[in-house]
Amino acid sequence: MSIKEAFICGHPVKHSRSPLLHGYWIKKHNIEGRYGKKDIEPENIKSFLKSLKEKKLVGGNVTIPHKEAAFEAVDKLDGAATKIGAVNTVWFEGDKLVGGNTDAHGFTANLDQHAKGWDENPEKKTAIVFGAGGASRAVLYSLIERKISKIYLINRTIEKANKLAKEFGPTVIPLKISEAESALNQADIFINSTSIGMKPDDKYPFELAMLKSTALVTDLVYTPLDTVLIIEAKKAGLKTVDGLGMLLHQAVPGFEKWFGIKPKVTDELRQLIVDDL
Ligand code: NAP
């Protein structure tokens, strides 16, 4: 049997940790497989995706800036990709190239692992999502899938929050940053899906003391692991979940599609990636 080869394509792609992650599982499960990086210029992404069969590639991950182009290029979309409007994983079903979005799965699986019960009694739960970019779409999809009854969507550029609220329906209530205080003390879960926290001098525009003492705080940013939000939330005695688990869990469905084994997100795997951060 020939070696199965999968990939991550992006531009640039050299900092991606996906090869480390998938390489770990390939070795762990003794698979005759490979997972490599493909730096593809934006003008070539569609032809690259159309040539996977010819190149004997079984599928792969798609990252910035190609997620929307991949959405257009595949033959078929899964439910999450359709709603989120972006593709981060591709695989074959027969001759058809399918595009999926596993970020939503990564988000919920991370919380399921590290904050069990976070979605209990969803009809009574309120979430705050801060940020209305690409990642926010996956978070909104996840929260709605888990039937969280009210979602405040706060964004610096309110027009983007308004647009997402229109798309995702009445559960999502857009708010300006200046209006956030009215929502903070209602939230059971606070999610950062902005890029705030990636730079060491980043400041948070909210007073986290306004959150309930039972609120769960999670950040999508995972470089660094302890973001300004996570540090402040820990200081306030709140339960926190960092963003690395989302990255690890979003990789599971793709690996299973390409190599036929559902891998596990273990402490050993997490440590391998932490050591590389
Ligand atoms: P994006 O589409 O570029 O969106 C960026 C968001 O951040 C926008 O809502 C933007 O607000 C907001 N923002 C940026 N700087 C800000 C500031 N100084 N003050 C207020 N708001 C600010 O990015 P994305 O793809 O959604 O990714 C967002 C973050 O999530 C990134 O750090 C990314 O690494 C992380 N992420 C993590 C995972 C994971 O697996 N853990 C997965 C996906 C993404 P405006 O609309 O006003 O510009």
Side-chain angles (χ1 to χ4, degrees), residues 111-167:
L111 295 186
D112 290 346
Q113 183 179 8
H114 296 289
K116 212 166 178 288
W118 69 276
D119 60 343
E120 267 168 22
N121 303 319
E123 70 288 351
K124 293 188 193 143
K125 293 249 156 89
T126 296
I128 292 181
V129 178
F130 179 36
S136 165
R137 300 178 68 93
V139 172
L140 293 177
Y141 177 85
S142 303
L143 295 173
I144 291 169
E145 278 275 297
R146 292 293 174 99
K147 304 199 170 9
I148 300 298
S149 69
K150 196 190 272 184
I151 305 166
Y152 288 109
L153 177 62
I154 303 172
N155 201 46
R156 177 177 61 181
T157 311
I158 189 65
E159 293 75 18
K160 283 204 217 159
N162 289 340
K163 185 169 174 282
L164 282 194
K166 215 168 177 182
E167 240 179 85

Side-chain angles (χ1 to χ4, degrees), residues 64 103 130-136 155-157 160 177 193-196 198 220-222 243-244 246-247 250:
I64 292 167
D103 277 340
F130 179 36
S136 165
N155 201 46
R156 177 177 61 181
T157 311
K160 283 204 217 159
I177 291 184
S193 76
T194 72
S195 44
I196 298 176
M198 295 185 82
L220 265 57
V221 174
Y222 59 88
L244 181 56
M246 177 172 169
L247 174 79
Q250 65 75 32

Side-chain angles (χ1 to χ4, degrees), residues 29-226:
H29 294 286
N30 257 324
I31 289 169
E32 291 272 327
R34 263 201 298 262
Y35 182 101
K37 292 177 191 173
K38 307 271 180 202
D39 192 326
I40 310 287
E41 303 265 352
E43 59 271 31
N44 297 329
I45 186 64
K46 286 191 180 165
S47 57
F48 170 73
L49 290 172
K50 296 279 178 213
S51 69
L52 299 187
K53 266 255 145 85
E54 206 179 291
K55 292 189 162 75
K56 301 200 183 334
L57 294 164
V58 293
N61 289 120
V62 179
T63 189
I64 292 167
H66 300 321
K67 291 182 180 185
E68 283 79 22
F71 181 87
E72 303 288 333
V74 295
D75 302 314
K76 210 173 131 184
L77 293 162
D78 77 358
T82 306
K83 190 71 197 168
I84 295 165
V87 160
N88 76 341
T89 306
V90 296
W91 66 91
F92 282 100
E93 282 176 16
D95 274 340
K96 296 235 180 294
L97 184 64
V98 186
N101 192 308
T102 63
D103 277 340
H105 166 79
F107 174 77
T108 41
N110 187 30
L111 295 186
D112 290 346
Q113 183 179 8
H114 296 289
K116 212 166 178 288
W118 69 276
D119 60 343
E120 267 168 22
N121 303 319
E123 70 288 351
K124 293 188 193 143
K125 293 249 156 89
T126 296
I128 292 181
V129 178
F130 179 36
S136 165
R137 300 178 68 93
V139 172
L140 293 177
Y141 177 85
S142 303
L143 295 173
I144 291 169
E145 278 275 297
R146 292 293 174 99
K147 304 199 170 9
I148 300 298
S149 69
K150 196 190 272 184
I151 305 166
Y152 288 109
L153 177 62
I154 303 172
N155 201 46
R156 177 177 61 181
T157 311
I158 189 65
E159 293 75 18
K160 283 204 217 159
N162 289 340
K163 185 169 174 282
L164 282 194
K166 215 168 177 182
E167 240 179 85
F168 281 85
T171 313
V172 180
I173 303 159
L175 286 183
K176 295 180 189 152
I177 291 184
S178 58
E179 297 167 328
E181 279 191 8
S182 61
L184 281 169
N185 63 0
Q186 297 176 47
D188 299 292
I189 172 165
F190 180 97
I191 301 135
N192 178 48
S193 76
T194 72
S195 44
I196 298 176
M198 295 185 82
K199 291 192 236 105
D201 55 348
D202 274 352
K203 297 232 165 10
Y204 225 71
F206 305 118
E207 201 46 72
L208 291 178
M210 307 277 290
L211 287 169
K212 293 194 272 193
S213 61
T214 50
L216 168 68
V217 172
T218 184
D219 203 333
L220 265 57
V221 174
Y222 59 88
T223 43
L225 267 185
D226 276 329

